[in-house]
Amino acid sequence: VQLQASGGGLVRPGGSLRLSCVASGRFFSSYAMGWFRQAPGKEREFVAAIDSGGGNTNYAESMKGRFTISRDNAKSTVDLQMNSLKPEDTAVYYCAAGPIVSPSARHYGYWGQGTLVTVSS
């Protein structure tokens, strides 16, 4: 599975942004998908994940109510809708594929290249 993330950019605090990750290769619908982020000088952290069928989601506590993960297996895409963005959301966002929904990066074997989100006025 190859993953390509897009949709990052500069947004003002309180604004919204939608990230998208498209997968190439077979069996996308059999993978759980996750979004992680890494801010400058910080470790990579979990953002959200969704199971293979799209019926089960998991969010980091600080993203609950602001971020929404969704997927379209027919299009092999997973999206992350981000609302009420804060400067501390500034980071490179990565999509990842793995066998289970997990907040741990070690459970994801396939990673996209990342897309930069900058929240600043």
Side-chain angles (χ1 to χ4, degrees), residues 61-81:
E61 196 62 35
S62 62
M63 285 69 161
K64 286 182 180 178
R66 299 192 300 126
F67 292 8
T68 302
I69 188 171
S70 61
R71 67 187 296 161
D72 185 336
N73 284 342
K75 297 180 179 180
S76 296
T77 58
V78 58
D79 291 348
L80 184 69
Q81 177 66 42

Side-chain angles (χ1 to χ4, degrees), residues 35-92:
W35 284 95
F36 291 76
R37 69 185 186 185
Q38 187 165 17
K42 295 187 177 181
E43 294 186 353
R44 189 170 298 189
E45 66 170 338
F46 171 71
V47 174
I50 188 168
D51 70 355
S52 59
N56 179 36
T57 58
N58 188 20
Y59 295 91
E61 196 62 35
S62 62
M63 285 69 161
K64 286 182 180 178
R66 299 192 300 126
F67 292 8
T68 302
I69 188 171
S70 61
R71 67 187 296 161
D72 185 336
N73 284 342
K75 297 180 179 180
S76 296
T77 58
V78 58
D79 291 348
L80 184 69
Q81 177 66 42
M82 305 185 295
N83 299 326
S84 303
L85 284 163
K86 307 173 182 179
E88 51 265 41
D89 293 318
T90 294
V92 177

